[in-house]
Amino acid sequence: MVMAAVFNLKPLISASVLPKYSHSVIFSNTNYNNKLKLPFKVSATKMSSAETETEANKTTKTIDSHLHVWASSEEAADKYPYFPGQEPTLPGHVDLLLQCMEEASVDGALIVQPINHKFDHSFVTSVLKKYPTKFVGCCLANPAEDGSGIKQLEKLLLEDGYRAVRFNPYLWPSDQKMTNEVGKAMFSRAGELGVPVGIMCMKGLSLHISEIEELCTEYPATPVLLDHLAFCKPPTNDEESLAFSRFLKLSRFPQVYVKFSALFRLSRMAFPYQDLSPLLSQVVSSFGANRVMWGSDFPFIVAECGYKEAREAATVIANEAALSSSELELIMGGTIKKLFKNQWLL
């Protein structure tokens, strides 16, 4: 069976702050109740190992490859309005993020432009300018049919200092794909500027893998970041196993990187998401740890298990996957630092 075949695998460029959520949030959270109700068990040995790794890595920068921030309600009313219909349902302001990062000993992050502000990047731009040594920006591509998004992209990259761009395929016109004329123009231009393109496959990799393969084949100079393991969950049937197998085969494109991020969106278990260990093992075996990077998906992770706990979960999962300390260091910051050269130096 395909599933068995997949799971037997072994292992470029270069405000006010909310109070900390308690672990009890997990057990009353609706999303948790919709997951498999498996017991939350992490052995003392595992947690002790995770804490040891955290202590050992204090001399190595930890960088969060995927998070969002948006204006507070006061900031939105005053200067940075939300896109109509995209008002946030939970806080994602910068003060909360900075507190979470300090508590978790996370040194820097890649901020991905949130849908809450859509193509208005003024709020995130203000954050990048205020904290230039802590944050790097990933803008949101505007795939408007008139091609105006190409000029917008160039401005964001060349004038406003963004160093990555996100392709959200669900923003393309309903009858268009990321491989249309506008999509290819933006993807190609990103490569010319040495800018990675993040791709969000929220509705499933199978819907978009042919587009990703086409773009990577035609434009090998453009680095690609697959958000959240391309939304591949632990397979439960042959169809899902085939999709995960196709995902692993994207490693044949040396420009493709993987974000081991938003773990709560991928796992079928509660924190610390240990069913992701076999997936991480196979991803590292296929891509190499030097093409894998951890990300939290703040602020959504805060209500799921907590920000600090998200970092701890990655270490627990890596230990279960029998990764080496050097592989873990790459995933927790080394990979993204090499990709975005001359960032997070201080």
Side-chain angles (χ1 to χ4, degrees):
M1 297 293 288
V2 176
M3 191 186 322
V6 171
F7 274 88
N8 281 333
L9 291 174
K10 293 184 179 294
L12 239 178
I13 52 171
S14 319
S16 61
V17 178
L18 292 183
K20 190 178 188 308
Y21 288 90
S22 68
H23 283 294
S24 62
V25 172
I26 300 174
F27 300 101
S28 60
N29 186 279
T30 302
N31 290 333
Y32 165 73
N33 290 329
N34 287 335
K35 294 178 184 285
L36 292 180
K37 295 187 177 180
L38 297 174
F40 169 41
K41 287 186 178 179
V42 185
S43 70
T45 301
K46 291 292 182 185
M47 291 308 294
S48 175
S49 178
E51 291 166 2
T52 300
E53 289 283 0
T54 300
E55 291 296 319
N57 287 340
K58 281 188 174 178
T59 57
T60 303
K61 286 189 182 297
T62 298
I63 308 297
D64 188 337
S65 75
H66 194 104
L67 54 75
H68 309 279
V69 292
W70 47 74
S72 65
S73 56
E74 294 80 11
E75 291 170 323
D78 179 51
K79 191 174 182 181
Y80 303 109
Y82 305 127
F83 188 81
Q86 296 290 350
E87 295 79 8
T89 58
L90 73 168
H93 52 83
V94 179
D95 289 344
L96 174 60
L97 171 61
L98 291 172
Q99 176 184 308
C100 288
M101 291 176 67
E102 182 177 4
E103 291 175 350
S105 298
V106 173
D107 302 289
L110 179 67
I111 298 178
V112 180
Q113 170 72 7
I115 196 64
N116 311 87
H117 294 291
K118 206 168 183 181
F119 302 125
D120 179 358
H121 289 72
S122 57
F123 176 72
V124 171
T125 300
S126 72
V127 174
L128 298 177
K129 289 181 177 179
K130 188 173 182 180
Y131 303 100
T133 63
K134 185 171 288 287
F135 299 124
V136 172
C138 175
C139 61
L140 181 62
N142 179 359
E145 291 187 89
D146 62 3
S148 58
I150 301 171
K151 290 295 182 185
Q152 292 174 20
L153 177 61
E154 289 183 336
K155 178 184 182 300
L156 289 165
L157 298 178
L158 298 175
E159 298 179 24
D160 296 334
Y162 286 80
R163 294 198 59 186
V165 56
R166 186 182 217 188
F167 274 28
N168 179 344
Y170 316 109
L171 295 177
W172 260 253
S174 58
D175 61 339
Q176 299 288 315
K177 294 184 177 181
M178 294 183 289
T179 49
N180 68 359
E181 184 178 354
V182 171
K184 287 187 174 182
M186 291 191 291
F187 193 89
S188 173
R189 187 63 175 134
E192 291 170 2
L193 296 173
V195 170
V197 174
I199 300 179
M200 180 179 70
C201 303
M202 182 173 281
K203 296 181 181 179
L205 176 63
S206 297
L207 295 176
H208 309 293
I209 191 166
S210 61
E211 299 165 73
I212 294 170
E213 290 172 333
E214 182 176 338
L215 290 170
C216 288
T217 299
E218 292 190 27
Y219 306 101
T222 304
V224 171
L225 307 175
L226 296 177
D227 295 347
H228 314 330
L229 282 189
F231 286 84
C232 289
K233 294 188 174 187
T236 58
N237 54 50
D238 286 350
E239 182 180 356
E240 292 175 350
S241 293
L242 179 60
F244 186 63
S245 178
R246 293 188 70 189
F247 162 67
L248 294 178
K249 289 178 181 177
L250 289 174
S251 63
R252 70 187 186 276
F253 297 106
Q255 79 238 54
V256 175
Y257 293 75
V258 176
K259 288 186 181 182
F260 187 59
S261 52
L263 306 185
F264 69 96
R265 299 187 188 277
L266 309 176
S267 177
R268 301 184 189 277
M269 297 173 64
F271 172 86
Y273 318 123
Q274 288 168 278
D275 60 335
L276 298 180
S277 294
L279 273 69
L280 179 59
S281 176
Q282 292 174 78
V283 167
V284 170
S285 179
S286 295
F287 288 87
N290 62 327
R291 287 200 278 156
V292 181
M293 57 191 77
W294 167 76
S296 68
D297 202 20
F298 174 94
F300 303 104
I301 190 61
V302 176
E304 292 290 334
C305 68
Y307 186 85
K308 182 180 179 181
E309 289 75 11
R311 175 182 172 169
E312 292 171 352
T315 301
V316 170
I317 293 166
N319 287 338
E320 291 251 337
L323 300 189
S324 67
S325 59
S326 60
E327 288 172 325
L328 181 59
E329 284 186 7
L330 285 168
I331 292 170
M332 300 305 293
T335 296
I336 192 170
K337 280 192 65 183
K338 289 179 180 178
L339 185 62
F340 294 94
K341 288 188 177 297
N342 302 315
Q343 295 291 155
W344 303 295
L345 299 178
L346 300 179

